[in-house]
C-alpha cells in the first residue's frame, strides 16, 4: 500500500506526486523523491524498481522479507534492512518483529514497512521542519529513519529491565524460584530478539560514518555517528541484561535445590521420630513368654510415656537444628 510519494527540491517540499511521475522528478537537479510503502505487493515493488532503477537483488530481499538487519551497497545506492521491535499487545509479554527496507540513491528514498503498525509520518514531518538538513538529500532521510527505528528500541529495553528487576526482587521469595526460572527464560528470549535486531545493525551503521563512506551518506557522517552511539549503548545494556539473567537463573536453580533439601530434611526428621515409635512398638510387640514389662501394672502407661517423651525430645532437637 502506498503511504505517500513526495518530491523535494533544495530541502523544500514541492508536491505530492503520482508514482508514474517519479522518473520525471528524479532527473531534475537538486530534486529527490521520497516514497513510503506499507506491506508492499510484488507488483508495487516491480513498479518502484522500474521507476528508480533498483538493484534486482535488493528488490528480491525486500520481496521475500524476514531479512537479517544489514546495510548493503549496490553501486551508488544503499539497501538497508532494519527490524521494528514493538510489544505484541498490551496484555502479552511477547514482542512483534516488523521490518523496514530502505532503498537510498542519490535522488530518491524508498521505505517499505512490513508487519508493523507504527509508521514514519513523524519522521517525514521532522525532516520537513528542518529544510537546511533536508537539503543534504537522501542521506539525511536515511539517518532520520534509522534514528527513529533506534529510538523505538529504548522503551522496549526499559520495559525488559523493569521486568528483570521485578523478578530479581522475587528471587528469595519462598515457593517462587520455579516460576521465576520460567519467566527468566521467557525474558531471555525477548532480549535475544532485541539482540538480533541491534547487533547486526550496529555493524552495518558503523560503515556510514568512518572509513570509506558511501557517496549518498557523504556530509551526514556525524549524524550516523550519533546513531552508532545509541546502538552501542543499547547493545551494552543488552549484554548487561544477559549476564544478569544468567546469574539470576543460577541463583534460582540454587534456591530450588535449597528448598528441595529443606523438604528432604523435614521428611528425614519425621521419619526418624516415627522410627523410634516403631522400634519401641516392635520390641514390646514380640511374643516372647518371659517379658517382665508385660506383667507390670503400669507397663502400658510407662511405655506410652517413654515413647512420647523420646519423640518429644527428638522433635525438640530437630526443631532446634532447623530441620522442622
Amino acid at each position: 500500500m502506498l503511504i505517500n510519494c513526495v518530491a523535494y527540491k533544495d530541502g523544500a517540499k514541492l508536491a505530492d506526486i503520482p508514482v508514474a511521475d517519479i522518473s520525471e522528478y528524479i532527473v531534475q537537479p537538486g530534486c529527490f523523491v521520497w516514497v513510503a510503502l506499507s506491506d508492499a505487493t510484488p507488483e508495487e515493488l516491480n513498479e518502484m524498481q522500474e521507476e528508480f532503477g533498483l538493484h534486482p537483488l535488493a528488490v528480491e530481499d525486500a520481496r521475500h522479507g524476514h531479512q537479517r538487519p544489514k546495510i548493503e551497497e549496490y553501486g551508488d545506492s544503499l539497501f538497508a534492512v532494519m527490524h521494528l521491535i514493538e510489544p505484541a499487545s498490551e496484555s502479552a509479554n511477547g514482542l512483534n518483529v516488523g521490518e523496514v527496507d530502505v532503498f537510498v540513491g542519490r535522488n530518491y528514498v524508498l521505505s517499505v514497512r512490513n508487519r508493523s503498525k507504527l509508521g514514519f509520518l513523524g519522521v517525514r514531518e521532522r525532516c520537513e521542519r528542518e529544510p537546511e538538513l533536508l537539503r543534504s538529500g537522501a542521506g539525511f532521510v536515511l539517518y532520520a529513519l534509522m534514528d527513529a527505528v533506534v529510538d523505538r528500541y529504548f522503551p522496549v529495553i526499559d520495559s525488559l529491565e523493569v521486568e528483570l528487576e521485578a523478578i530479581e526482587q522475587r528471587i528469595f521469595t519462598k515457593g517462587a524460584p520455579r516460576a521465576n526460572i520460567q519467566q527468566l527464560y521467557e525474558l531471555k528470549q525477548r532480549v535475544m530478539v532485541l539482540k538480533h535486531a541491534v547487533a547486526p545493525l550496529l555493524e552495518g551503521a558503523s560503515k556510514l560514518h568512518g572509513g570509506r563512506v558511501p557517496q549518498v551518506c557523504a556530509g551526514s557522517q556525524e549524524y550516523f555517528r550519533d546513531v552508532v552511539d545509541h546502538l552501542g549503548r543499547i547493545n551494552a545494556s543488552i549484554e548487561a541484561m544477559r549476564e544478569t539473567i544468567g546469574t539470576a537463573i543460577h541463583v534460582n536453580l540454587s534456591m530450588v535445590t535449597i528448598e528441595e533439601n529443606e523438604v528432604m530434611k523435614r521428611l528425614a526428621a519425621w521419619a526418624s521420630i516415627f522410627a523410634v515409635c516403631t522400634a519401641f512398638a516392635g520390641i514390646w510387640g514380640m511374643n516372647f513368654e518371659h517379658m517382665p514389662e508385660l506383667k507390670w501394672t503400669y507397663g502400658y502407661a510407662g511405655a506410652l510415656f517413654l515413647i512420647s517423651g523420646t519423640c518429644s525430645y527428638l522433635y525438640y532437637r530437630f526443631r532446634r537444628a532447623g530441620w522442622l
Side-chain angles (χ1 to χ4, degrees), residues 201-269:
L201 185 59
L202 174 60
E203 179 183 354
S206 300
K207 304 175 183 177
L208 302 181
H209 76 87
R212 178 187 170 276
V213 178
Q215 186 62 36
V216 294
C217 298
S220 301
Q221 294 96 318
E222 62 273 16
Y223 295 103
F224 289 107
R225 186 182 300 113
D226 181 66
V227 172
V228 172
D229 289 342
H230 289 174
L231 286 171
R233 287 169 49 196
I234 295 174
N235 192 58
S237 298
I238 291 173
E239 291 299 327
M241 286 186 63
R242 291 178 63 190
E243 293 180 3
T244 304
I245 290 173
T247 302
I249 289 175
H250 287 302
V251 172
N252 272 272
L253 290 174
S254 299
M255 293 299 298
V256 170
T257 303
I258 291 173
E259 286 191 359
E260 290 178 347
N261 290 338
E262 292 294 327
V263 173
M264 294 301 297
K265 287 194 295 185
R266 286 194 293 270
L267 291 175

Side-chain angles (χ1 to χ4, degrees), residues 119-300:
F120 293 99
L121 292 177
V123 177
R124 188 180 293 272
E125 294 174 357
R126 170 195 173 186
C127 292
E128 292 177 354
R129 289 196 304 267
E130 301 176 307
E132 67 282 358
L133 297 177
L134 191 58
R135 192 175 293 113
S136 302
F140 178 74
V141 174
L142 174 61
Y143 152 74
L145 290 171
M146 291 183 64
D147 187 54
V149 171
V150 173
D151 284 346
R152 293 177 184 179
Y153 294 156
F154 283 103
V156 175
I157 198 168
D158 287 343
S159 65
L160 295 178
E161 288 177 341
V162 169
E163 184 176 352
L164 177 57
E165 291 174 357
I167 296 175
E168 284 184 305
Q169 293 176 356
R170 298 195 301 268
I171 284 181
F172 298 103
T173 301
K174 190 174 182 179
R178 292 183 182 272
N180 289 341
I181 290 176
Q182 180 179 356
Q183 294 176 3
L184 285 169
Y185 271 103
E186 293 174 353
L187 179 61
K188 184 178 180 180
Q189 291 176 347
R190 296 197 293 277
V191 171
M192 289 306 300
V193 169
L194 190 58
K195 174 73 174 179
H196 292 157
V198 171
L201 185 59
L202 174 60
E203 179 183 354
S206 300
K207 304 175 183 177
L208 302 181
H209 76 87
R212 178 187 170 276
V213 178
Q215 186 62 36
V216 294
C217 298
S220 301
Q221 294 96 318
E222 62 273 16
Y223 295 103
F224 289 107
R225 186 182 300 113
D226 181 66
V227 172
V228 172
D229 289 342
H230 289 174
L231 286 171
R233 287 169 49 196
I234 295 174
N235 192 58
S237 298
I238 291 173
E239 291 299 327
M241 286 186 63
R242 291 178 63 190
E243 293 180 3
T244 304
I245 290 173
T247 302
I249 289 175
H250 287 302
V251 172
N252 272 272
L253 290 174
S254 299
M255 293 299 298
V256 170
T257 303
I258 291 173
E259 286 191 359
E260 290 178 347
N261 290 338
E262 292 294 327
V263 173
M264 294 301 297
K265 287 194 295 185
R266 286 194 293 270
L267 291 175
W270 284 114
S272 299
I273 293 173
F274 283 105
V276 171
C277 298
T278 304
F280 282 125
I283 292 173
W284 285 312
M286 294 185 292
N287 295 320
F288 291 108
E289 183 177 353
H290 300 288
M291 292 184 68
E293 307 91 53
L294 299 180
K295 304 297 182 179
W296 185 33
T297 304
Y298 302 103
Y300 178 69

Side-chain angles (χ1 to χ4, degrees), residues 103-121:
F103 301 83
V104 185
R106 180 181 56 82
N107 48 12
Y108 67 86
V109 176
L110 168 63
S111 64
V112 183
R113 174 169 51 90
N114 297 305
R115 307 183 307 279
S116 177
K117 299 179 181 179
L118 300 178
F120 293 99
L121 292 177

Side-chain angles (χ1 to χ4, degrees), residues 35-54:
V35 180
L37 299 176
S38 175
D39 297 310
T41 62
E43 293 75 17
E44 289 175 322
L45 290 175
N46 292 335
E47 185 179 15
M48 292 300 166
Q49 182 180 6
E50 182 178 352
E51 291 291 333
F52 292 122
L54 305 176

